Structures are given as structure tokens and as C-alpha cells.
Amino acid sequence: MKTIVLAGGKGTRLLPLTTVLPKPLLPVGDYPILEIVIRQLKKQGFTKITLAVGYLSHLFEAYFGDGSKWGVELEYSVERESLGTAGPILLVKDLSSTFLVMNGDLLTTLDFNRVVEYHKKKDAVLTIALQERSHQINLGYVERDGKYNITGYIEKPVHRYEVGMGIYVFEPEALSYIKKGEKADFPELVLRLIGDGKKVVGYPCSDFWLDIGRHEEYEKAQNEFEKLKHLFF
């Protein structure tokens, strides 16, 4: 099965680290983030990989080459202008069967094969891996009516919600909802599919997952990877 790894962003929230290196090439432990991802994909049997690159794209090819060092077949799809998070997928060739898409700047112990099996069982056009997150408001939350009569009071409530993990399984049919050359993000694509009555499902995941988008998350990745390295390789 073909896998597309999205690695074209500028990583502005991690400046100045991303001034000289694209975010997926920043080191976590002894490896660039993207090398950890590629090693995981290979271990799980996903060996045909396309890197969708843009910012400092030449550095990816200089480091990974054709992927033979890691036992995978690597191709490169270069984004010349910003096409959002979903737009670059349309630039990749030969997407005629089910394929996996994931961000190149995350750490997870998720079994990608389980997501693919779930996707096929659900007969979906798109599956999104999901993880629960919570956020506590450190103040008392007051409820009132239109006349400012207090109707409820909740001390430091905890809000729970599910977020996309940046891991997707696609059917080729979904590509027809992205316009060539158009900047398109995943939320927009999902809404187009749902609006047209297509089946989009979520895959609930409790495995370790960390999106490395900010400095505090990058620091956390360093600590967590050292403790959990045996789960990744």
C-alpha cells in the first residue's frame, strides 16, 4: 500500500530551529523525526512511500535518497507553492487504490495496519485517526439566563474532545473533492465529503501520540522518545 508523508510545511512555530532545517528533519534522540516515522512504516510493511515536500525540499532528498538504506522505496512530490494540508496529495502520482496519509512531524506507537483494516471494514471513503484530549478551565464557569439570573455554577470544568492525529486512510474517490492547484486543508475536504453524503469515519486511538508543533512539544518528544524507544523500533 502506498503511503504519503506530508513534510512540506515551514514549521514557523518552531522558529528559530526551523530556519536551517525543515521540522521533520529536526532530531529526536539520535534520529530525525521523519526517520523515526519511516522506520516505523517499514517495520509495519509500508515500504512504498512518497514524501510530499516543499520548504527546504532538497534537504530531504540529500538525507534519505531513494530510501534503500531503510529498506523502502522513496519518491518525492515537490510543492512549488503552498497548497494547504490536503492540496499536496493531489500532486502525487498513481493513487489508484487505498492509501495511507500521515504528517511527517509526529511521534506515535499506533499500528497503521489496524487503521487500514478498520477503514476497509467500515467501507469508508476517508478514515481519520482520533485521540481524546482534555482541557481544564482554571476558573469557575457560570451559567446564566438572559436576565443575568445564575442558573448554574461549575468549578474548574474539564472539557473533553477528540482531535485528528494527522493520520488518514483514503480511497481514491476522495481525491475528486480536491481541485488541482487549489489550496485545501483537511477540514475543508472532510466537510465537502460529508456534504456530498460520503462516509467519513473516525478511528479511536489510545496509543502514544505527540504532534510536534511547538517548542514545549518538541522538548516533550525528546524526553518521551528516550523512555519509549523500544516501542518505536
Side-chain angles (χ1 to χ4, degrees):
M1 177 181 292
K2 197 159 192 173
T3 300
I4 301 171
V5 179
L6 302 174
K10 292 185 176 181
T12 53
R13 290 179 297 171
L14 277 173
L15 286 171
L17 298 176
T18 48
T19 301
V20 294
L21 282 177
K23 183 167 54 171
L25 290 184
L26 291 176
V28 171
D30 297 328
Y31 309 93
I33 300 166
L34 184 53
E35 182 177 344
I36 297 171
V37 170
I38 289 175
R39 285 172 176 263
Q40 286 180 288
L41 288 168
K42 167 61 169 62
K43 184 178 180 180
Q44 297 185 34
F46 296 84
T47 58
K48 296 182 182 296
I49 303 170
T50 297
L51 299 185
V53 296
Y55 177 63
L56 298 176
S57 60
H58 63 286
L59 296 180
F60 291 97
E61 193 159 2
Y63 187 86
F64 291 108
D66 63 2
S68 57
K69 178 180 176 181
W70 293 272
V72 300
E73 298 175 34
L74 268 187
E75 295 180 345
Y76 298 85
S77 177
V78 182
E79 177 187 13
R80 301 299 179 186
E81 57 182 334
S82 177
L83 294 174
T85 51
I89 299 171
L90 205 59
L91 299 178
V92 179
K93 299 176 182 178
D94 303 323
L95 297 176
S96 57
S97 58
T98 308
F99 59 95
L100 179 70
V101 177
M102 64 181 298
N103 293 342
D105 58 356
L106 56 83
L107 288 180
T108 184
T109 57
L110 172 65
D111 184 335
F112 305 121
N113 284 293
R114 291 207 318 262
V115 188
V116 174
E117 290 169 6
Y118 178 91
H119 168 83
K120 291 181 176 180
K121 184 177 180 181
K122 290 288 189 179
D123 194 26
V125 71
L126 175 63
T127 296
I128 306 170
L130 303 175
Q131 188 157 109
E132 185 179 276
R133 285 287 187 261
S134 61
H135 173 71
Q136 183 172 37
I137 298 176
N138 292 318
L139 298 168
Y141 177 76
V142 176
E143 296 174 332
R144 63 172 178 82
D145 63 17
K147 297 181 179 180
Y148 279 88
N149 297 309
I150 302 301
T151 58
Y153 199 118
I154 306 171
E155 182 66 19
K156 298 180 181 178
V158 176
H159 293 282
R160 301 188 183 278
Y161 48 92
E162 288 185 304
V163 299
M165 296 170 61
I167 300 168
Y168 313 85
V169 183
F170 271 76
E171 291 303 317
E173 180 185 357
L175 298 175
S176 63
Y177 291 81
I178 306 173
K179 298 177 183 177
K180 188 175 181 179
E182 173 193 48
K183 184 174 182 178
D185 290 323
F186 276 107
E188 185 178 2
L189 171 60
V190 169
L191 292 176
R192 287 177 182 176
L193 289 166
I194 294 172
D196 202 30
K198 301 300 179 181
K199 190 173 184 180
V200 179
V201 301
Y203 174 84
C205 172
S206 58
D207 298 278
F208 174 82
W209 170 71
L210 181 61
D211 174 63
I212 305 172
R214 297 175 297 179
H215 286 275
E216 55 265 39
E217 292 157 346
Y218 182 52
E219 183 177 349
K220 183 178 180 180
Q222 303 289 351
N223 297 327
E224 295 294 329
F225 180 70
E226 287 305 315
K227 290 187 292 184
L228 301 173
K229 186 184 294 186
H230 64 287
L231 298 177
F232 288 89
F233 303 145

